[in-house]
Structure formats: structure tokens, C-alpha cells
Amino acid sequence: MSERPKLRLVVLISGSGSNLQAIIDACREGRIDAEVAAVISNRPDAFGLERARRAGIPAEVVDHTAFAEREGFERELMAHIDRYAPDLVVLAGFMRILTEEFVAHYKGRMLNIHPSLLPRFQGLHTHRRALEAGHTHHGASVHFVTEELDGGPVVLQAEVPVLPGDDEQTLAARVLEQEHRIYPTVIQWFAEGRLRFDPEKGVLLDGDLLTESVRWPA
């Protein structure tokens, strides 16, 4: 029997790419049965591009500031992504709001990681908002991308305590440690065929409908 081919990933970034590095490391160490086919950034100065180059991964830029309209940027971005024929598109700190057309093109095969326990704190400044709200727990969520911003079905979440004396930086660092654990886990579930998004039924994990997110450790 032939082995299952490795999952092909295209990772989209806008910044330093620490989650990208966690994915690259997990692929290299065999914890994800996948290969990063390309890394694409909307910002030419994103350090994640250098991480990709150091790992021998094609690194490309589609600079959103070069386009007068979002639709033109997304058409070019899709062309770059589709050139690599990915099985899964992975958003790893990609700081652009995506149109319905773009999301529909990759529906069921695009994941995002968000630094909060969704549905709490969709959008930006999640750590600040968690502190201002006085929450005792915060965390991160991996979810399928749908047309609603940070509103797609959540697959896996990791929770961290909010400690006395925490500021945005210390809380963000604690959350980021968990992000680096849960994102490779969910990608591996997808690579193994355990995780699927059915547009009619919803998220299926091991054939069962996922009615609520799994909590780390899974």
C-alpha cells in the first residue's frame, strides 16, 4: 500500500512568523505529516519571510499597498496561493480582513489561530481587552475560516490563567506558548484525515460532529 502523500500547506503571514516557525519545526520533526509549500506575506518586511528562506521554503510577497482595491489584492494573492496547489491554507498572523469570495474559494481548507477564547474578543487587542474585562482566564483558539471575522467553527482551544500583575506583554507571551502547541496539533488532525469541515453538517472530528471545541490538552 502506498503511503498517504504529505499535506501541502501554504502559510500566510504579516509579521514575525512565530507560529509559522512552530509549524516548520513540527513538519521537520515529523509531528505534522505535511510540508510547507510556500509562505506568502502581504508585508515585504515581515520577518516570517526570512524564517521561510532559512528553511528553504519559497517566500513570496503580495503587497496589499500596491493595490487600489481589496479585490485586486485578493485576486493576485489567490493566484500566488493556487500556484502551489495547497491542501490547506494556514493563516498565521495574517492581518488582513478577507472578502466572502476569497473565503469561499478556500472554504473547508483554511484555518486561522486567534489569541482569545472565541467567541470572546473577536478582532484586535485581545490581551488588552481580556485584562480590562477582568477575566481570570484567557487563551487561544484554532478555527476554520468562514465569512464572519473570527467567527468560524472552533476546533481546539487552550486556556491560560490571567495572573496578578499581568500586562499585555506577559499575557501575550503565555498565550503564544499555547498557540505553538495547538496549531500544529490541529493541522496534523487535518493531515491524518481526522478533521474535516462539511459545509452542510459542520466540523467533523473522527467522524463525529464537533458541537463544541476541544480543549487542550486534547
Side-chain angles (χ1 to χ4, degrees):
M1 181 182 293
S2 61
E3 293 185 2
R4 179 198 296 267
K6 284 191 174 184
L7 194 77
R8 289 177 60 80
L9 309 176
V10 168
V11 183
L12 305 186
I13 63 167
S14 295
S16 68
S18 70
N19 270 304
L20 165 66
Q21 189 65 58
I23 293 166
I24 291 172
D25 292 345
C27 290
R28 184 176 61 238
E29 294 163 8
R31 291 182 287 115
I32 303 178
D33 188 20
E35 60 178 355
V36 180
V39 174
I40 304 174
S41 176
N42 65 306
R43 296 180 58 91
D45 60 346
F47 182 68
L49 294 168
E50 179 61 23
R51 294 181 189 271
R53 295 185 187 108
R54 290 176 183 176
I57 298 167
E60 300 189 6
V61 176
V62 182
D63 189 344
H64 68 277
T65 65
F67 297 85
E69 296 178 346
R70 184 183 301 175
E71 290 76 12
F73 162 69
E74 288 191 353
R75 282 194 297 271
E76 186 67 16
L77 181 59
M78 282 193 287
H80 280 252
I81 294 170
D82 291 348
R83 189 178 304 142
Y84 293 96
D87 302 298
L88 186 66
V89 177
V90 177
L91 308 185
F94 185 65
M95 304 302 289
R96 298 294 297 171
I97 295 175
L98 301 170
T99 64
E100 291 186 7
E101 290 76 13
F102 186 94
V103 171
H105 187 67
Y106 300 106
K107 196 161 190 177
R109 54 192 184 103
M110 182 159 58
L111 291 172
N112 183 46
I113 191 158
H114 184 74
S116 80
L117 296 173
L118 292 171
R120 289 181 181 174
F121 308 126
Q122 295 166 305
L124 300 175
H125 310 301
T126 60
H127 311 305
R128 181 192 311 168
R129 291 156 65 194
L131 291 167
E132 290 174 347
H135 286 301
T136 59
H137 290 83
H138 189 43
S141 307
V142 180
H143 65 95
F144 279 100
V145 178
T146 62
E147 292 79 5
E148 181 185 355
L149 177 64
D150 299 327
V154 177
V155 179
L156 180 61
Q157 293 184 315
E159 187 177 280
V160 303
V162 179
L163 302 178
D166 263 338
D167 57 21
E168 287 184 63
Q169 288 70 36
T170 58
L171 184 55
R174 196 175 305 117
V175 170
L176 193 60
E177 289 181 6
Q178 298 304 315
E179 291 182 35
H180 294 167
R181 294 183 173 98
I182 65 175
Y183 216 178
T185 296
V186 173
I187 294 169
Q188 176 62 8
W189 289 350
F190 194 94
E192 292 171 332
R194 296 178 57 195
L195 177 68
R196 289 292 178 264
F197 180 70
D198 186 310
E200 295 183 359
K201 296 179 181 178
V203 175
L204 300 173
L205 182 61
D206 295 330
D208 295 325
L209 183 64
L210 201 63
T211 57
E212 60 182 10
S213 64
V214 181
R215 283 300 179 102
W216 178 266

